[in-house]
Amino acid sequence: MLAAAQAWLAQDPDPETRAELRALLTFASGGDTAALADLHSRFDTRLAFGTAGLRGEIAAGPNRMNRVLVAQAAAGLAAYLLARAEPGTTPSAVIGYDGRKNSQIFATDTAELLAGAGVRAVLLPRLLPTPVLAFAVRHLDVSAGVMVTASHNPPNDNGYKVYLGDANEGSQIVSPDDGLIAAEILRVAEERLVPELPRSAYETAPESVVQAYISATAGLVHAPLAPVNAVYTAMHGVGWDTTRRVLEAAGFALPTLVDAQIAPDAAFPTVAFPNPEEPGAMDLAYRTADEVNAELIIANDPDADRLAIAIPDPTAENGYRRLSGNEVGAILGWRAAENAVASAAASGTPIGTLACSIVSTPALQAVAEAYGLNFADTLTGFKWVSRAPGLIYGFEEALGYLVNPGTVRDKDGISAALAFLSLVSDLKAEGVTLAEHLKRFSARFGHFASSQISVRVTDISEISRVMTRLRQSPPEAVGGIRVTSIDDLSAGFDGLPPSDVLRIRLADGSRVMVRPSGTEPKLKVYIDTRSEIGSVPERTAAATAALAVVDAGMRELIG
């Protein structure tokens, strides 16, 4: 292991990680057990490249994010693209980056190394949101896209997302491409040293690419029917400049800003965790909204591919309630269905597919059925949601929404923010609040309630033990409610690829999804209930009560 660390040190071009690793080696060689354990953590395994690309803490070693790992990833991606290019053609890639630590460095390294390998490499002109990169893959008609971001991860993390063009239409990679790229990366790591990898000049994309995204996004909605007093936070990320230009192009008044969080800042100084779902992350937005009596709070995560919404609620501690991803997803899905009907007025038959991940609320399926649209549930992640045939709208409960699949094939927190702001404007013109519109949804489709159990473990094998126990000794009831069926997706199910997921259906119509987290040492349980009986308050009470019963039952089952 010490020899591997020394070899890594010799090819590391980054003075910061070189100095860090050199110090660790000195301490470890002197018998420091903590330093030795740290080195084992970094060098005993390797940060795996998969359908989510790469993501991890910035530090030296193959199990961390750094310039050596990124260089190997870029060279491996180049080899994959060159091997699959049509004879006589040059593959191409566009590279984007956000405002995190080392994002621009990793992106520039990638562009130089792709170009050096013989791939036409185009770097976006400056730090930009992930949706702009996803858009650029299709707009520039390139073979692949790379976005350097760790989205809403902790401050010292960074990551590497890969998209494919051509038949993949700009979606994120899925199997088998992830495995093929990973194999090329490992081959590079085994056979080449980073200083030996050729580098060459790359192109810089013109600002017209960004303007094309802005124009396409602004064109999604009609002119506002009523002004909306909104507050916006970028969560120290890169969302605001592009969002501002989109809102201006669409004719909307600009929101009040959470000034302390509006500029990109890799330290994320005002939040413990730059994720709108985390407790405390929205506190400054709530405070700002209270000061201006805002009707709506709009929050993007740091790379602006996710959207959080909050509305006034006098019963909430801060005076505002953040809507769940399922609530926002269902409301935007209803709007998408209405738009599909309106655009199909001539033919009389709305067409298209509403899609969401299997752990998201069943409410979207109810909307699709009510409007005669197709519905698709997919595995978790927008790499799957974006591939639903005939997609006109997709979402996942983790604050991801795709309202413009014609131009972007990934979740897009900017276009979703515009669509939601437009919805609130339309409702205000009718004299209806968003809270009242949510009740309309319950009256039309039934009331859906959702909760999530997240169990963090220190021993990752504990998750496998729980999943094995549920498979070998399936429960006959949850919280006293009879289990009617259990679908095991491990070998694939109903057209879905294999996935370590259990779907449990209960006699009262409730549904439970159990799966290991794809990015953290957690077991996740998603619970959904529904009531269509009685008034809206009665439906709400019944679904909420059922949720509490099933939640308690699942906590008991998984220990």
Side-chain angles (χ1 to χ4, degrees):
M1 187 271 294
L2 291 174
Q6 289 284 4
W8 186 277
L9 181 64
Q11 63 173 328
D12 188 351
D14 189 328
E16 181 179 332
T17 48
R18 269 205 322 271
E20 165 199 315
L21 184 54
R22 191 177 292 113
L24 267 180
L25 281 166
T26 300
F27 285 124
S29 299
D32 188 313
T33 55
L36 196 60
D38 193 354
L39 285 171
H40 276 294
S41 169
R42 296 163 184 250
F43 285 91
D44 283 357
T45 187
R46 183 181 179 90
L47 207 59
F49 182 92
T51 54
L54 294 166
R55 191 174 293 185
E57 180 186 357
I58 297 174
N63 199 31
R64 302 290 190 270
M65 280 295 296
N66 48 67
R67 292 184 69 186
V68 174
L69 197 78
V70 165
Q72 293 167 345
L77 176 61
Y80 165 87
L81 293 174
L82 289 163
R84 279 149 191 81
E86 292 291 330
T89 66
T90 300
S92 52
V94 59
I95 305 99
Y97 58 96
D98 68 4
R100 281 181 174 267
K101 179 180 178 180
N102 283 7
S103 284
Q104 185 172 3
I105 293 170
F106 291 162
T108 303
D109 278 346
T110 298
E112 290 177 351
L113 288 160
L114 287 174
V119 175
R120 177 185 169 228
V122 183
L123 186 69
L124 290 184
R126 52 194 167 81
L127 53 86
L128 286 160
T130 293
V132 176
L133 181 278
F135 169 82
V137 174
R138 300 179 75 182
H139 181 71
L140 297 175
D141 192 23
V142 292
S143 312
V146 173
M147 182 66 193
V148 180
T149 178
S151 191
H152 53 268
N153 271 39
N156 203 43
D157 284 10
N158 216 324
Y160 203 83
K161 292 174 67 173
V162 177
Y163 300 77
L164 291 177
D166 304 323
N168 291 273
E169 297 186 301
S171 290
Q172 291 182 59
I173 55 170
V174 295
S175 181
D177 295 298
D178 60 331
L180 296 171
I181 296 170
E184 295 287 2
I185 294 170
L186 289 176
R187 184 182 59 78
V188 169
E190 291 167 359
E191 299 177 2
R192 307 288 299 275
L193 295 175
V194 169
E196 298 172 355
L197 295 172
R199 294 174 179 252
S200 189
Y202 55 83
E203 301 173 33
T204 300
E207 275 291 327
S208 59
V209 174
V210 184
Q211 186 55 52
Y213 169 83
I214 290 165
S215 299
T217 304
L220 294 171
V221 300
H222 55 72
L225 301 182
V228 178
N229 181 12
V231 160
Y232 175 87
T233 175
M235 207 66 68
H236 297 297
V238 297
W240 172 237
D241 181 67
T242 307
T243 300
R244 172 186 60 80
R245 293 171 66 184
V246 166
L247 293 178
E248 288 175 339
F252 283 79
L254 296 183
T256 300
L257 304 181
V258 181
D259 289 325
Q261 296 178 335
I262 213 64
D265 189 332
F268 302 103
T270 70
V271 290
F273 203 98
N275 179 355
E277 293 181 293
E278 290 292 320
M282 298 274 289
D283 283 356
L284 283 180
Y286 295 146
R287 194 179 310 159
T288 304
D290 183 62
E291 290 170 358
V292 299
N293 197 27
E295 304 161 76
L296 182 71
I297 297 174
I298 298 168
N300 284 138
D301 70 338
D303 69 326
D305 65 347
R306 286 174 170 84
L307 168 71
I309 293 290
I311 62 173
D313 185 345
T315 68
E317 180 182 352
N318 295 294
Y320 287 83
R321 176 175 76 88
R322 185 181 66 78
L323 303 185
S324 71
N326 280 330
E327 287 176 302
V328 174
I331 289 296
L332 285 176
W334 187 12
R335 183 174 177 82
E338 291 276 7
N339 289 341
V341 169
S343 61
S347 64
T349 306
I351 58 172
T353 299
L354 305 183
C356 64
S357 63
I358 54 176
V359 299
S360 301
T361 177
L364 191 65
Q365 183 172 2
V367 172
E369 290 171 351
Y371 282 84
L373 295 166
N374 296 324
F375 172 75
D377 53 1
T378 74
L379 294 184
T380 304
F382 257 85
K383 55 185 173 285
W384 299 110
V385 175
S386 67
R387 295 171 184 268
L391 184 68
I392 58 173
Y393 169 77
F395 93 97
E396 61 180 2
E397 51 77 37
L399 308 187
Y401 317 97
L402 177 51
V403 301
N404 54 338
T407 51
V408 175
R409 286 283 170 169
D410 195 13
K411 55 187 174 291
D412 183 346
I414 296 174
S415 59
L418 177 66
F420 208 92
L421 185 61
S422 178
L423 169 63
V424 174
S425 174
D426 290 354
L427 292 173
K428 187 175 181 181
E430 292 179 39
V432 177
T433 67
L434 191 56
E436 291 166 338
H437 192 58
L438 288 165
K439 292 177 181 176
R440 282 179 173 179
F441 188 96
S442 297
R444 174 79 183 272
F445 306 103
H447 186 80
F448 292 81
S450 304
S451 71
Q452 185 181 138
I453 302 170
S454 186
V455 181
R456 182 178 287 274
V457 299
T458 52
D459 180 3
I460 197 73
S461 64
E462 180 60 26
I463 293 176
S464 297
R465 284 193 288 271
V466 173
M467 296 297 290
T468 299
R469 174 162 49 82
L470 290 174
R471 286 185 168 104
Q472 293 180 348
S473 303
E476 296 181 357
V478 176
I481 306 170
R482 181 172 57 88
V483 172
T484 57
S485 66
I486 299 180
D487 301 327
D488 186 349
L489 279 61
S490 59
F493 186 87
D494 198 22
L496 293 172
S499 185
D500 189 9
V501 177
L502 290 172
R503 177 166 51 198
I504 305 170
R505 299 191 188 277
L506 307 181
D508 68 344
S510 300
R511 187 196 69 182
V512 180
M513 308 293 297
V514 187
R515 73 174 185 99
S517 168
T519 56
E520 299 176 278
K522 289 181 178 180
L523 179 69
K524 291 196 163 187
V525 180
Y526 303 80
I527 303 168
D528 291 281
T529 61
R530 178 185 188 181
S531 176
E532 300 173 86
I533 300 172
S535 64
V536 168
E538 289 169 335
R539 294 178 179 195
T540 303
T544 304
L547 191 69
V549 170
V550 179
D551 187 287
M554 283 307 300
R555 290 179 188 275
E556 184 178 344
L557 267 176
I558 64 177

